[in-house]
Amino acid sequence: MEKELKPEKKKDVKAEEEGKDKEPRSFRHKLEVKEAEIEKWKADANHWKNEYYRGYADTQNLRKALERELGEGLKYRAEGFVAELLPILDGFYFALAMEPANPEIKNYLVGFQYIYQNLLAVLEKEGVKEIAPKEGDPFDVRTMHATEAEEREGQPNLVVRVLNKGYKLKDRLIRPANVVVSKAKAAEVKKEEDGATNKEDGVKKDA
Amino acid sequence: MAKEIILGIDLGTTNSVVSYLQADGKVKVIPNPEGTNTTPSAVAFKANGEEIVGNAAKRQAVTNPDTVLSIKRKMGTSEKINVKCIKKDFTPQEISAKVLAYMKKYAEDNVGQAIKKAVITVPAYFNDAQRQATSNPGVTPALFVA
C-alpha cells in the first residue's frame, strides 16, 4: 500500500512539477523571441546593405559625372570667351580682305594683318581652329551651315561662297562656317525625276 | 545597381531639351554631342539611307529638301511625310520618335547607364490624339512614356 504523503509534502511536489513544466516553456518562448529578433536584424542588415550599395553606386556615378563635367569644363573653358571674340575676328577678316588703292592705308593694313595673325596664334594655342572652306569644296554638314542654295550647273552640294569662317575649340564646333551651296537647276531635277518615273513605269510594265 | 534615371524631355516644335533629376535633387540638362543644351527638332534623310538628326540636320536644311522641321505641328494628324530620296512615307510620330531616340542615345552616353523611362512635355492645348501620338510606345522605342 502506498504510503500516503502528508499534505505539505504533496504541495511541494506539485509546485516542483509545475516549475519543471514552466521552465522549458519560458525558455522556448525566449528562444522564439530571440530568433524573431535575429530575423528582424538580418532583414534590417540586408535592407541597409542594399541601401549602402545603392548609395555607393549613386555616389560613384555622381563622382564620375562630376569628374567628367569638370574635365569638360576645363577642356572647353575658353568656349564662351572665344564665342564672344568671333565677331571681332570677323571684323578683322573682312577689313583685311579689302584692297585699298591708297598706299598709306595699305601700309596700315599690313600692321593690322600682324595684329590679326598674332591674335589667331594666341587662340590657336588655346585650341581654336579655323574652319575656312574654299569655293568648290564639298559641303560638310559637320562644320558648315548652308544659309542659301544657288542653282548652278555641275555637281550640287558644293561650296559656292563663304559668308563667314567657322571656328572649332578642340573637337567642339563653336560656330559653323556659313556658306552658300550649289544645287542642281530646277530643269535638271525635273528631267531626273521624269527619268526615274519612266524607269519605274518600265519596270512595272515588264512585270 | 544605380538608381533608375527617368528623363524629362521637352519635345519642342523648333528645339528639344532633355534633362534628369540628379542624386543631389538638382535638375541637370544634358548637353548634346555638340555641347549645346538645346537640340533642333530636325530630321534629315539622305539617298544613301543615312539619317541626320539635330544640329547637323538643321545646318543642311537649305540644301536638302528631305529635311523635316517642326514636326510637332503635325502630331496627331494622319498626314504622311513623303521622303523623296528614299521613296518612303513617315508618320509624324515616326519622325518625332527619331528625335526622341537621338536624345535618348546621347542622354544614355552622358549618364553612363541605360534609360527606359521618360516624361515628355506636351502643350496644354494638345488633344487626346496628339498626346497619344507623342507617347505612342509603338514608335517611341525602348522608352516608357508617362
PDB file of all heavy atoms in Angstrom, chain B residues 99-125:
ATOM      1  N   VAL B  99      13.777  61.855 -83.302  1.00  0.00           N
ATOM      2  CA  VAL B  99      14.353  62.915 -82.454  1.00  0.00           C
ATOM      3  C   VAL B  99      14.508  62.381 -81.024  1.00  0.00           C
ATOM      4  O   VAL B  99      15.556  62.544 -80.390  1.00  0.00           O
ATOM      5  CB  VAL B  99      13.467  64.188 -82.465  1.00  0.00           C
ATOM      6  CG1 VAL B  99      14.040  65.261 -81.552  1.00  0.00           C
ATOM      7  CG2 VAL B  99      13.301  64.730 -83.876  1.00  0.00           C
ATOM      8  N   LEU B 100      13.452  61.687 -80.548  1.00  0.00           N
ATOM      9  CA  LEU B 100      13.486  61.148 -79.175  1.00  0.00           C
ATOM     10  C   LEU B 100      14.591  60.103 -79.027  1.00  0.00           C
ATOM     11  O   LEU B 100      15.310  60.090 -78.027  1.00  0.00           O
ATOM     12  CB  LEU B 100      12.129  60.520 -78.821  1.00  0.00           C
ATOM     13  CG  LEU B 100      10.971  61.487 -78.619  1.00  0.00           C
ATOM     14  CD1 LEU B 100       9.671  60.724 -78.453  1.00  0.00           C
ATOM     15  CD2 LEU B 100      11.202  62.359 -77.395  1.00  0.00           C
ATOM     16  N   ALA B 101      14.723  59.239 -80.032  1.00  0.00           N
ATOM     17  CA  ALA B 101      15.743  58.182 -79.973  1.00  0.00           C
ATOM     18  C   ALA B 101      17.147  58.796 -79.936  1.00  0.00           C
ATOM     19  O   ALA B 101      18.023  58.325 -79.202  1.00  0.00           O
ATOM     20  CB  ALA B 101      15.600  57.250 -81.172  1.00  0.00           C
ATOM     21  N   TYR B 102      17.332  59.854 -80.726  1.00  0.00           N
ATOM     22  CA  TYR B 102      18.642  60.545 -80.755  1.00  0.00           C
ATOM     23  C   TYR B 102      18.956  61.140 -79.377  1.00  0.00           C
ATOM     24  O   TYR B 102      20.061  60.982 -78.846  1.00  0.00           O
ATOM     25  CB  TYR B 102      18.592  61.639 -81.828  1.00  0.00           C
ATOM     26  CG  TYR B 102      19.795  62.554 -81.870  1.00  0.00           C
ATOM     27  CD1 TYR B 102      21.029  62.083 -82.301  1.00  0.00           C
ATOM     28  CD2 TYR B 102      19.696  63.889 -81.495  1.00  0.00           C
ATOM     29  CE1 TYR B 102      22.132  62.924 -82.342  1.00  0.00           C
ATOM     30  CE2 TYR B 102      20.789  64.731 -81.536  1.00  0.00           C
ATOM     31  CZ  TYR B 102      21.995  64.249 -81.959  1.00  0.00           C
ATOM     32  OH  TYR B 102      23.092  65.084 -81.999  1.00  0.00           O
ATOM     33  N   MET B 103      17.933  61.765 -78.787  1.00  0.00           N
ATOM     34  CA  MET B 103      18.134  62.393 -77.474  1.00  0.00           C
ATOM     35  C   MET B 103      18.366  61.343 -76.393  1.00  0.00           C
ATOM     36  O   MET B 103      19.197  61.514 -75.508  1.00  0.00           O
ATOM     37  CB  MET B 103      16.940  63.268 -77.111  1.00  0.00           C
ATOM     38  CG  MET B 103      16.792  64.422 -78.069  1.00  0.00           C
ATOM     39  SD  MET B 103      15.405  65.435 -77.682  1.00  0.00           S
ATOM     40  CE  MET B 103      16.126  66.522 -76.495  1.00  0.00           C
ATOM     41  N   LYS B 104      17.636  60.247 -76.488  1.00  0.00           N
ATOM     42  CA  LYS B 104      17.795  59.150 -75.516  1.00  0.00           C
ATOM     43  C   LYS B 104      19.229  58.613 -75.598  1.00  0.00           C
ATOM     44  O   LYS B 104      19.872  58.380 -74.581  1.00  0.00           O
ATOM     45  CB  LYS B 104      16.796  58.047 -75.842  1.00  0.00           C
ATOM     46  CG  LYS B 104      16.916  56.829 -74.958  1.00  0.00           C
ATOM     47  CD  LYS B 104      15.914  55.780 -75.388  1.00  0.00           C
ATOM     48  CE  LYS B 104      16.069  54.521 -74.582  1.00  0.00           C
ATOM     49  NZ  LYS B 104      16.834  53.481 -75.220  1.00  0.00           N
ATOM     50  N   LYS B 105      19.711  58.463 -76.827  1.00  0.00           N
ATOM     51  CA  LYS B 105      21.055  57.897 -77.034  1.00  0.00           C
ATOM     52  C   LYS B 105      22.122  58.792 -76.390  1.00  0.00           C
ATOM     53  O   LYS B 105      22.973  58.304 -75.641  1.00  0.00           O
ATOM     54  CB  LYS B 105      21.281  57.734 -78.546  1.00  0.00           C
ATOM     55  CG  LYS B 105      22.684  57.381 -78.963  1.00  0.00           C
ATOM     56  CD  LYS B 105      22.946  55.893 -78.782  1.00  0.00           C
ATOM     57  CE  LYS B 105      24.311  55.451 -79.247  1.00  0.00           C
ATOM     58  NZ  LYS B 105      25.440  56.072 -78.614  1.00  0.00           N
ATOM     59  N   TYR B 106      22.056  60.087 -76.688  1.00  0.00           N
ATOM     60  CA  TYR B 106      23.120  60.923 -76.116  1.00  0.00           C
ATOM     61  C   TYR B 106      22.956  61.126 -74.617  1.00  0.00           C
ATOM     62  O   TYR B 106      23.941  61.322 -73.896  1.00  0.00           O
ATOM     63  CB  TYR B 106      23.359  62.221 -76.900  1.00  0.00           C
ATOM     64  CG  TYR B 106      22.390  63.369 -76.746  1.00  0.00           C
ATOM     65  CD1 TYR B 106      22.224  64.043 -75.544  1.00  0.00           C
ATOM     66  CD2 TYR B 106      21.682  63.835 -77.841  1.00  0.00           C
ATOM     67  CE1 TYR B 106      21.379  65.131 -75.428  1.00  0.00           C
ATOM     68  CE2 TYR B 106      20.822  64.911 -77.740  1.00  0.00           C
ATOM     69  CZ  TYR B 106      20.668  65.551 -76.533  1.00  0.00           C
ATOM     70  OH  TYR B 106      19.829  66.610 -76.419  1.00  0.00           O
ATOM     71  N   ALA B 107      21.700  61.002 -74.129  1.00  0.00           N
ATOM     72  CA  ALA B 107      21.486  61.071 -72.671  1.00  0.00           C
ATOM     73  C   ALA B 107      22.106  59.850 -72.008  1.00  0.00           C
ATOM     74  O   ALA B 107      22.763  59.958 -70.966  1.00  0.00           O
ATOM     75  CB  ALA B 107      19.994  61.140 -72.377  1.00  0.00           C
ATOM     76  N   GLU B 108      21.920  58.687 -72.622  1.00  0.00           N
ATOM     77  CA  GLU B 108      22.500  57.448 -72.077  1.00  0.00           C
ATOM     78  C   GLU B 108      24.025  57.522 -72.078  1.00  0.00           C
ATOM     79  O   GLU B 108      24.671  57.115 -71.110  1.00  0.00           O
ATOM     80  CB  GLU B 108      22.040  56.241 -72.890  1.00  0.00           C
ATOM     81  CG  GLU B 108      20.628  55.816 -72.562  1.00  0.00           C
ATOM     82  CD  GLU B 108      20.151  54.618 -73.358  1.00  0.00           C
ATOM     83  OE1 GLU B 108      20.662  54.392 -74.481  1.00  0.00           O
ATOM     84  OE2 GLU B 108      19.249  53.928 -72.893  1.00  0.00           O
ATOM     85  N   ASP B 109      24.573  58.033 -73.162  1.00  0.00           N
ATOM     86  CA  ASP B 109      26.041  58.175 -73.239  1.00  0.00           C
ATOM     87  C   ASP B 109      26.533  59.117 -72.149  1.00  0.00           C
ATOM     88  O   ASP B 109      27.596  58.920 -71.581  1.00  0.00           O
ATOM     89  CB  ASP B 109      26.454  58.708 -74.618  1.00  0.00           C
ATOM     90  CG  ASP B 109      26.223  57.676 -75.700  1.00  0.00           C
ATOM     91  OD1 ASP B 109      26.034  56.498 -75.352  1.00  0.00           O
ATOM     92  OD2 ASP B 109      26.214  58.051 -76.893  1.00  0.00           O
ATOM     93  N   ASN B 110      25.748  60.145 -71.888  1.00  0.00           N
ATOM     94  CA  ASN B 110      26.166  61.146 -70.913  1.00  0.00           C
ATOM     95  C   ASN B 110      26.095  60.621 -69.480  1.00  0.00           C
ATOM     96  O   ASN B 110      27.039  60.800 -68.704  1.00  0.00           O
ATOM     97  CB  ASN B 110      25.289  62.397 -71.065  1.00  0.00           C
ATOM     98  CG  ASN B 110      25.788  63.548 -70.234  1.00  0.00           C
ATOM     99  OD1 ASN B 110      25.629  63.550 -69.021  1.00  0.00           O
ATOM    100  ND2 ASN B 110      26.421  64.518 -70.865  1.00  0.00           N
ATOM    101  N   VAL B 111      25.001  59.946 -69.129  1.00  0.00           N
ATOM    102  CA  VAL B 111      24.850  59.487 -67.738  1.00  0.00           C
ATOM    103  C   VAL B 111      25.512  58.130 -67.501  1.00  0.00           C
ATOM    104  O   VAL B 111      25.721  57.728 -66.363  1.00  0.00           O
ATOM    105  CB  VAL B 111      23.367  59.433 -67.283  1.00  0.00           C
ATOM    106  CG1 VAL B 111      22.745  60.796 -67.321  1.00  0.00           C
ATOM    107  CG2 VAL B 111      22.560  58.445 -68.104  1.00  0.00           C
ATOM    108  N   GLY B 112      25.821  57.435 -68.588  1.00  0.00           N
ATOM    109  CA  GLY B 112      26.537  56.161 -68.469  1.00  0.00           C
ATOM    110  C   GLY B 112      25.686  55.009 -67.996  1.00  0.00           C
ATOM    111  O   GLY B 112      26.193  54.078 -67.387  1.00  0.00           O
ATOM    112  N   GLN B 113      24.396  55.062 -68.245  1.00  0.00           N
ATOM    113  CA  GLN B 113      23.532  53.919 -67.927  1.00  0.00           C
ATOM    114  C   GLN B 113      22.316  53.900 -68.850  1.00  0.00           C
ATOM    115  O   GLN B 113      21.969  54.933 -69.438  1.00  0.00           O
ATOM    116  CB  GLN B 113      23.102  53.947 -66.455  1.00  0.00           C
ATOM    117  CG  GLN B 113      22.117  55.031 -66.088  1.00  0.00           C
ATOM    118  CD  GLN B 113      21.749  54.988 -64.609  1.00  0.00           C
ATOM    119  OE1 GLN B 113      22.502  55.433 -63.759  1.00  0.00           O
ATOM    120  NE2 GLN B 113      20.590  54.447 -64.299  1.00  0.00           N
ATOM    121  N   ALA B 114      21.705  52.726 -68.951  1.00  0.00           N
ATOM    122  CA  ALA B 114      20.549  52.595 -69.846  1.00  0.00           C
ATOM    123  C   ALA B 114      19.345  53.322 -69.242  1.00  0.00           C
ATOM    124  O   ALA B 114      19.176  53.344 -68.029  1.00  0.00           O
ATOM    125  CB  ALA B 114      20.221  51.130 -70.043  1.00  0.00           C
ATOM    126  N   ILE B 115      18.557  53.932 -70.121  1.00  0.00           N
ATOM    127  CA  ILE B 115      17.373  54.671 -69.666  1.00  0.00           C
ATOM    128  C   ILE B 115      16.140  54.064 -70.331  1.00  0.00           C
ATOM    129  O   ILE B 115      16.131  53.829 -71.545  1.00  0.00           O
ATOM    130  CB  ILE B 115      17.512  56.174 -70.006  1.00  0.00           C
ATOM    131  CG1 ILE B 115      18.646  56.772 -69.190  1.00  0.00           C
ATOM    132  CG2 ILE B 115      16.214  56.913 -69.719  1.00  0.00           C
ATOM    133  CD1 ILE B 115      19.120  58.105 -69.655  1.00  0.00           C
ATOM    134  N   LYS B 116      15.141  53.791 -69.509  1.00  0.00           N
ATOM    135  CA  LYS B 116      13.944  53.132 -70.046  1.00  0.00           C
ATOM    136  C   LYS B 116      12.681  53.984 -69.918  1.00  0.00           C
ATOM    137  O   LYS B 116      11.667  53.668 -70.514  1.00  0.00           O
ATOM    138  CB  LYS B 116      13.731  51.802 -69.342  1.00  0.00           C
ATOM    139  CG  LYS B 116      14.745  50.752 -69.787  1.00  0.00           C
ATOM    140  CD  LYS B 116      14.566  49.478 -69.017  1.00  0.00           C
ATOM    141  CE  LYS B 116      15.681  48.516 -69.383  1.00  0.00           C
ATOM    142  NZ  LYS B 116      15.924  47.525 -68.350  1.00  0.00           N
ATOM    143  N   LYS B 117      12.744  55.008 -69.079  1.00  0.00           N
ATOM    144  CA  LYS B 117      11.523  55.783 -68.847  1.00  0.00           C
ATOM    145  C   LYS B 117      11.740  57.266 -69.130  1.00  0.00           C
ATOM    146  O   LYS B 117      12.850  57.772 -68.937  1.00  0.00           O
ATOM    147  CB  LYS B 117      11.062  55.606 -67.403  1.00  0.00           C
ATOM    148  CG  LYS B 117      10.570  54.214 -67.089  1.00  0.00           C
ATOM    149  CD  LYS B 117      10.149  54.117 -65.657  1.00  0.00           C
ATOM    150  CE  LYS B 117       9.784  52.685 -65.295  1.00  0.00           C
ATOM    151  NZ  LYS B 117       9.603  52.533 -63.859  1.00  0.00           N
ATOM    152  N   ALA B 118      10.669  57.909 -69.545  1.00  0.00           N
ATOM    153  CA  ALA B 118      10.763  59.349 -69.811  1.00  0.00           C
ATOM    154  C   ALA B 118       9.407  60.012 -69.623  1.00  0.00           C
ATOM    155  O   ALA B 118       8.363  59.369 -69.772  1.00  0.00           O
ATOM    156  CB  ALA B 118      11.252  59.585 -71.230  1.00  0.00           C
ATOM    157  N   VAL B 119       9.466  61.273 -69.282  1.00  0.00           N
ATOM    158  CA  VAL B 119       8.257  62.096 -69.233  1.00  0.00           C
ATOM    159  C   VAL B 119       8.426  63.115 -70.351  1.00  0.00           C
ATOM    160  O   VAL B 119       9.452  63.791 -70.414  1.00  0.00           O
ATOM    161  CB  VAL B 119       8.129  62.818 -67.870  1.00  0.00           C
ATOM    162  CG1 VAL B 119       6.916  63.724 -67.849  1.00  0.00           C
ATOM    163  CG2 VAL B 119       8.057  61.814 -66.733  1.00  0.00           C
ATOM    164  N   ILE B 120       7.464  63.183 -71.237  1.00  0.00           N
ATOM    165  CA  ILE B 120       7.574  64.105 -72.376  1.00  0.00           C
ATOM    166  C   ILE B 120       6.534  65.204 -72.235  1.00  0.00           C
ATOM    167  O   ILE B 120       5.348  64.922 -71.998  1.00  0.00           O
ATOM    168  CB  ILE B 120       7.409  63.368 -73.724  1.00  0.00           C
ATOM    169  CG1 ILE B 120       8.444  62.239 -73.839  1.00  0.00           C
ATOM    170  CG2 ILE B 120       7.546  64.322 -74.906  1.00  0.00           C
ATOM    171  CD1 ILE B 120       8.285  61.371 -75.066  1.00  0.00           C
ATOM    172  N   THR B 121       6.961  66.422 -72.405  1.00  0.00           N
ATOM    173  CA  THR B 121       6.018  67.533 -72.280  1.00  0.00           C
ATOM    174  C   THR B 121       5.167  67.661 -73.547  1.00  0.00           C
ATOM    175  O   THR B 121       5.628  67.371 -74.648  1.00  0.00           O
ATOM    176  CB  THR B 121       6.751  68.872 -72.094  1.00  0.00           C
ATOM    177  OG1 THR B 121       7.569  69.084 -73.250  1.00  0.00           O
ATOM    178  CG2 THR B 121       7.606  68.876 -70.869  1.00  0.00           C
ATOM    179  N   VAL B 122       3.946  68.090 -73.342  1.00  0.00           N
ATOM    180  CA  VAL B 122       3.088  68.439 -74.480  1.00  0.00           C
ATOM    181  C   VAL B 122       2.382  69.746 -74.126  1.00  0.00           C
ATOM    182  O   VAL B 122       2.149  70.024 -72.954  1.00  0.00           O
ATOM    183  CB  VAL B 122       2.024  67.352 -74.796  1.00  0.00           C
ATOM    184  CG1 VAL B 122       2.624  66.134 -75.423  1.00  0.00           C
ATOM    185  CG2 VAL B 122       1.203  67.003 -73.584  1.00  0.00           C
ATOM    186  N   PRO B 123       2.040  70.547 -75.126  1.00  0.00           N
ATOM    187  CA  PRO B 123       1.335  71.791 -74.812  1.00  0.00           C
ATOM    188  C   PRO B 123      -0.048  71.504 -74.221  1.00  0.00           C
ATOM    189  O   PRO B 123      -0.651  70.473 -74.521  1.00  0.00           O
ATOM    190  CB  PRO B 123       1.198  72.486 -76.173  1.00  0.00           C
ATOM    191  CG  PRO B 123       2.119  71.789 -77.080  1.00  0.00           C
ATOM    192  CD  PRO B 123       2.290  70.400 -76.561  1.00  0.00           C
ATOM    193  N   ALA B 124      -0.544  72.421 -73.408  1.00  0.00           N
ATOM    194  CA  ALA B 124      -1.836  72.248 -72.745  1.00  0.00           C
ATOM    195  C   ALA B 124      -2.965  72.085 -73.767  1.00  0.00           C
ATOM    196  O   ALA B 124      -3.957  71.414 -73.502  1.00  0.00           O
ATOM    197  CB  ALA B 124      -2.103  73.433 -71.833  1.00  0.00           C
ATOM    198  N   TYR B 125      -2.782  72.702 -74.939  1.00  0.00           N
ATOM    199  CA  TYR B 125      -3.872  72.651 -75.928  1.00  0.00           C
ATOM    200  C   TYR B 125      -3.883  71.350 -76.743  1.00  0.00           C
ATOM    201  O   TYR B 125      -4.772  71.135 -77.548  1.00  0.00           O
ATOM    202  CB  TYR B 125      -3.797  73.861 -76.875  1.00  0.00           C
ATOM    203  CG  TYR B 125      -2.520  73.954 -77.658  1.00  0.00           C
ATOM    204  CD1 TYR B 125      -2.314  73.173 -78.788  1.00  0.00           C
ATOM    205  CD2 TYR B 125      -1.511  74.829 -77.267  1.00  0.00           C
ATOM    206  CE1 TYR B 125      -1.135  73.251 -79.502  1.00  0.00           C
ATOM    207  CE2 TYR B 125      -0.334  74.909 -77.967  1.00  0.00           C
ATOM    208  CZ  TYR B 125      -0.149  74.121 -79.082  1.00  0.00           C
ATOM    209  OH  TYR B 125       1.025  74.196 -79.780  1.00  0.00           O
TER     210      TYR B 125
END
